[in-house]
Amino acid sequence: EVQLVESGGGLVQPGGSLRLSCAASGFTASNYYMSWVRQAPGKGLEWVSSINTDGDRTYYTDSVKGRFTISKDNAKNTLYLQMNSLKTEDTAVYYCAVGGPREALTGGPRGQGTQVTVSS
């Protein structure tokens, strides 16, 4: 059974940083693209970032480029999202997902989410 468990969310002031983690089980993460998506209050699901199987190619939505960094540790079957220079508009529930952007947004396996709140 595929399981994805996110952690690392919380309340942070604008300009602050958080590191999200996603522990994967039930499959081998090195065989799949992995992604982060988010859902802000009252809005739809938004793709944030993806990483390829080997972890050497990364992709970001324009609004987080230069601030967020996705990475994966295939030995630990864990996905990460380092978020720096956080803005109030980054407030959302963040989910890790198996697959690239299309799979992440169209019902692919996803975790339960972790809340990120950026507020002064």
Side-chain angles (χ1 to χ4, degrees):
E1 178 187 3
V2 172
Q3 282 197 324
L4 300 164
V5 180
E6 301 95 337
S7 61
L11 173 63
V12 63
Q13 292 186 340
S17 298
L18 283 174
R19 189 192 194 205
L20 306 184
S21 299
C22 173
S25 60
F27 69 103
T28 303
S30 60
N31 292 337
Y32 294 88
Y33 274 64
M34 298 286 292
S35 297
W36 288 97
V37 295
R38 65 186 179 186
Q39 187 164 24
K43 295 189 177 181
L45 205 59
E46 177 190 24
W47 171 74
V48 176
S49 180
S50 295
I51 191 167
N52 71 339
T53 54
D54 292 337
D56 58 354
R57 290 190 180 183
T58 56
Y59 310 88
Y60 301 93
T61 191
D62 285 347
S63 63
V64 308
K65 282 181 183 176
R67 301 189 298 121
F68 289 12
T69 303
I70 190 172
S71 62
K72 62 192 298 197
D73 186 333
N74 285 332
K76 295 183 178 180
N77 233 32
T78 301
L79 179 71
Y80 302 99
L81 186 68
Q82 177 67 45
M83 305 186 296
N84 299 329
S85 302
L86 282 161
K87 305 176 180 181
T88 55
E89 52 263 43
D90 295 318
T91 294
V93 178
Y94 284 72
Y95 302 88
C96 68
V98 180
R102 183 169 59 184
E103 292 83 0
L105 292 174
T106 57
R110 211 159 58 215
Q112 84 291 344
T114 186
Q115 176 71 48
V116 171
T117 302
V118 185
S119 175
S120 55

